[in-house]
Amino acid sequence: MAEAIWSSDTGEAVYRSRDPVRNLRLRVHLQRITSSNYLHCQPAAQLGKDLIDLATFRPHPTASGHRPEEEEEEVVIGWQEKLFSQFEVDLYQNEAACQSPLDHQYRQEILKLEDSGGRKNQRIFTYTDSDRYTNLEEHCQKMTTAASEMPSFLVERMANVRRRRQDRRGTEGGILKSRIVTWEPSEEFIRNNHVINTPLQTMYIMADLGPYGKLGYKKHEHVLCTLKVDSNGVITVKPDFTGSKGPYRIETEGEKQELWKYTIDNVSSLAQPEEEEREQRVFKDLYGRHKEYLNSLVGTDFEMTAPGALRLFVNGEVVSAQGYEYDNLYVHFFVELPTSNWSSPAFQQLSGITQTCATKSRGMDNVAYFSYPFTFEASFLHEDESVDALPEWPVLYCEVLSLDFWQRYRVEGYGAVVLPATPGSHTLTVSTWRPLELSPVAELRRFFIGGSLELEDLSYVWIPGTFKTCSPQEWE
């Protein structure tokens, strides 16, 4: 019976788990199929086919009729669990090769394993986050599909982040070799240190695919799976768990090519119903405490918006006034709420007067800088949801006046502007006008004794309050 097809999807998969990563368990199954030379002897009609009958590539039995132990291996591996390779066993048995405290720790563990009967693994082993290992394929990985891709400076620096662990050695002293703070960084220093380095824990599941009886050579090491976990519980697996897909394949290089298949399965134990219930209670209590903490920060005076109501908050500033005839200017302003659906709190002031400000010459104009802040809020109760019932927006009215030495004031101009209907920062320029008497006597009176024509109703600057719209039938 033919087995599943090979899985060619060796890309990485990303998972997210709320459980502690220490509960992660993987089962790795590795099996030698046969020499790859058999693959090159297939009939021409079968070349290019994806479906390969694995039953035709069974390992050849030995002279005794049994498969050697190194032909097939299955190991269950936990997160950051250290499984030693034959190379590490041979290396750390020599005490002179141990340089760091971690090397001495590995030596003690290997000696204990030898006393207890040896390792449980033969070909499959691991490199943990503490080991000095880097997968060079990650450094040479392309970022685009271009045939002649030139790696950018950032790509080279990011790939070098992990490689720096390769040459890391323990130091006897704790003296810092560089300054913690660079007060005057150069452009080259900023360029070299502007690299994102997200803290990750990495683990490699490896396989020694050397010939029978010749294990322990670096050139025969192959990466079966790469695991990366960050502090947010994001787990990156490359390649993905086998699941219902076919096994992955590795074809060794050299004079005697070998074909291997392997599978990776997640065998982490499922949480019991009692544990899940206890975990849910812990999370519920944690979220409840966090909610109480946030409520304490907000306070009890926080007012929620009524359903169907629109709240408008305005923080404004009267910046300046320019282009007027006289000096010592001040601005009287107020906000008009257009319809009865608009309202404001009883304590809210919808008007204000700036301070009197002397003008300064700026080019051809005399400018008075007020920098007068104001704030107000209003609410609109949306009772009718039809299109024609969209709210009319509040209007800001301005009256610019001047004050002379004898405390006589003059109207310099009237203006109005509709407040912006979109949130954010806005700069508004209000054009003003004033009634003008076309006679020299009126201008002399305005200059010597002050006073001028004024509007009794400031709403006439925009749309008078007495104005009523007429239907087409009324116009006829």
Side-chain angles (χ1 to χ4, degrees):
M1 180 178 178
E3 296 184 14
I5 63 175
W6 299 112
S7 177
S8 59
D9 183 10
T10 58
E12 63 183 21
V14 180
Y15 301 90
R16 183 164 186 171
S17 174
R18 295 188 301 178
D19 292 336
V21 70
R22 64 176 179 269
N23 296 331
L24 180 64
R25 295 290 184 274
L26 300 181
R27 181 177 62 230
V28 182
H29 182 269
L30 177 68
Q31 181 180 351
R32 176 181 176 272
I33 301 301
T34 183
S35 174
S36 297
N37 295 331
Y38 284 93
L39 297 179
H40 301 292
C41 299
Q42 296 295 315
Q46 295 183 5
L47 293 179
K49 289 188 176 182
D50 294 332
L51 296 177
I52 300 178
D53 190 352
L54 299 184
T56 62
F57 301 116
R58 295 293 185 185
H60 295 282
T62 60
S64 60
H66 295 85
R67 179 183 302 169
E69 294 181 358
E70 294 185 352
E71 296 284 337
E72 185 175 3
E73 184 176 347
E74 183 174 292
V75 178
V76 177
I77 304 173
W79 172 247
Q80 295 297 335
E81 180 181 355
K82 179 61 180 177
L83 299 181
F84 295 100
S85 65
Q86 186 62 45
F87 174 82
E88 292 174 316
V89 171
D90 298 338
L91 175 65
Y92 293 126
Q93 283 183 348
N94 182 10
E95 188 174 2
C98 300
Q99 301 179 3
S100 65
L102 182 62
D103 296 342
H104 290 281
Q105 177 185 342
Y106 283 170
R107 170 178 165 79
Q108 297 299 324
E109 293 179 4
I110 291 174
L111 294 178
K112 291 180 181 179
L113 288 176
E114 294 296 331
D115 296 339
S116 61
R119 300 176 293 142
K120 66 177 181 179
N121 60 304
Q122 295 298 323
R123 293 185 179 271
I124 301 176
F125 62 97
T126 61
Y127 284 129
T128 64
D129 192 66
S130 303
D131 293 329
R132 296 186 296 270
Y133 173 78
T134 298
N135 185 9
L136 296 180
E137 293 182 1
E138 296 179 356
H139 177 67
C140 303
Q141 183 178 6
K142 290 187 176 182
M143 306 300 293
T144 65
T145 57
S148 58
E149 176 186 344
M150 295 297 294
S152 64
F153 174 78
L154 181 60
V155 171
E156 294 179 351
R157 295 290 293 181
M158 288 301 298
N160 197 39
V161 167
R162 183 66 191 175
R163 289 187 61 194
R164 288 200 295 266
R165 302 181 66 99
Q166 182 78 16
D167 302 325
R168 187 177 62 184
R169 293 291 187 272
T171 57
E172 297 180 358
I175 302 176
L176 295 174
K177 300 298 173 105
S178 61
R179 294 176 297 175
I180 298 179
V181 179
T182 303
W183 297 105
E184 297 180 357
S186 61
E187 294 184 1
E188 183 68 18
F189 178 85
I190 297 175
R191 183 169 177 261
N192 291 336
N193 287 273
H194 189 66
V195 178
I196 302 175
N197 188 6
T198 305
L200 291 172
Q201 281 189 313
T202 308
M203 180 179 180
Y204 295 94
I205 301 177
M206 311 289 294
D208 188 346
L209 304 183
Y212 177 73
K214 296 182 180 180
L215 301 180
Y217 292 92
K218 283 284 187 178
K219 62 180 180 180
H220 295 147
E221 293 183 0
H222 293 266
V223 179
L224 300 182
C225 181
T226 302
L227 300 173
K228 298 180 181 180
V229 178
D230 64 10
S231 58
N232 298 321
V234 178
I235 304 174
T236 305
V237 185
K238 182 181 180 181
D240 193 8
F241 301 126
T242 305
S244 60
K245 300 182 295 184
Y248 299 105
R249 61 181 288 175
I250 296 179
E251 185 176 349
T252 61
E253 299 177 355
E255 182 179 352
K256 186 178 180 181
Q257 296 181 344
E258 301 288 341
L259 181 64
W260 296 78
K261 73 170 184 177
Y262 69 95
T263 59
I264 306 170
D265 297 304
N266 180 15
V267 294
S268 304
S269 59
L270 298 178
Q272 299 298 325
E274 296 80 7
E275 296 179 353
E276 292 183 355
E277 184 179 355
R278 183 170 60 254
E279 183 180 6
Q280 292 297 329
R281 288 198 303 267
V282 171
F283 277 118
K284 185 177 180 180
D285 181 67
L286 176 62
Y287 293 149
R289 293 177 180 272
H290 185 64
K291 182 178 179 180
E292 292 177 359
Y293 170 71
L294 294 179
N295 290 336
S296 65
L297 296 180
V298 174
T300 59
D301 297 334
F302 187 78
E303 181 183 356
M304 298 297 295
T305 303
L310 173 67
R311 297 288 294 272
L312 173 65
F313 295 89
V314 176
N315 295 313
E317 178 185 5
V318 181
V319 180
S320 62
Q322 67 181 42
Y324 294 100
E325 184 178 1
Y326 289 95
D327 198 356
N328 298 324
L329 302 177
Y330 65 95
V331 179
H332 172 222
F333 61 91
F334 69 93
V335 177
E336 181 188 37
L337 302 180
T339 62
S340 59
N341 291 336
W342 282 94
S343 62
S344 63
F347 62 87
Q348 180 70 64
Q349 285 190 344
L350 298 180
S351 62
I353 301 177
T354 67
Q355 75 278 13
T356 303
C357 183
T359 60
K360 295 181 179 180
S361 297
R362 291 292 183 267
M364 300 296 293
D365 291 330
N366 294 327
V367 184
Y369 293 98
F370 302 105
S371 299
Y372 183 85
F374 65 92
T375 181
F376 73 91
E377 63 176 286
S379 301
F380 178 81
L381 185 58
H382 200 69
E383 298 177 349
D384 189 357
E385 297 184 358
S386 61
V387 179
D388 298 334
L390 293 177
E392 298 181 28
W393 219 245
V395 180
L396 176 65
Y397 291 88
C398 299
E399 180 184 11
V400 183
L401 303 102
S402 61
L403 191 67
D404 63 10
F405 178 78
W406 304 103
Q407 299 299 309
R408 295 174 299 194
Y409 73 90
R410 304 170 182 83
V411 175
E412 300 293 335
Y414 299 99
V417 64
V418 179
L419 295 180
T422 57
S425 178
H426 304 271
T427 300
L428 306 178
T429 301
V430 184
S431 300
T432 59
W433 62 273
R434 65 177 178 88
L436 182 63
E437 292 184 82
L438 300 178
S439 66
V441 177
E443 291 300 317
L444 290 174
R445 181 170 61 250
R446 171 180 167 83
F447 177 80
F448 286 105
I449 63 175
S452 59
L453 294 178
E454 300 180 11
L455 296 179
E456 292 185 0
D457 186 359
L458 292 184
S459 64
Y460 278 78
V461 178
W462 187 250
I463 299 177
T466 58
F467 177 77
K468 294 177 61 177
T469 58
C470 299
S471 62
Q473 292 79 7
E474 292 177 346
W475 281 106
E476 292 177 359

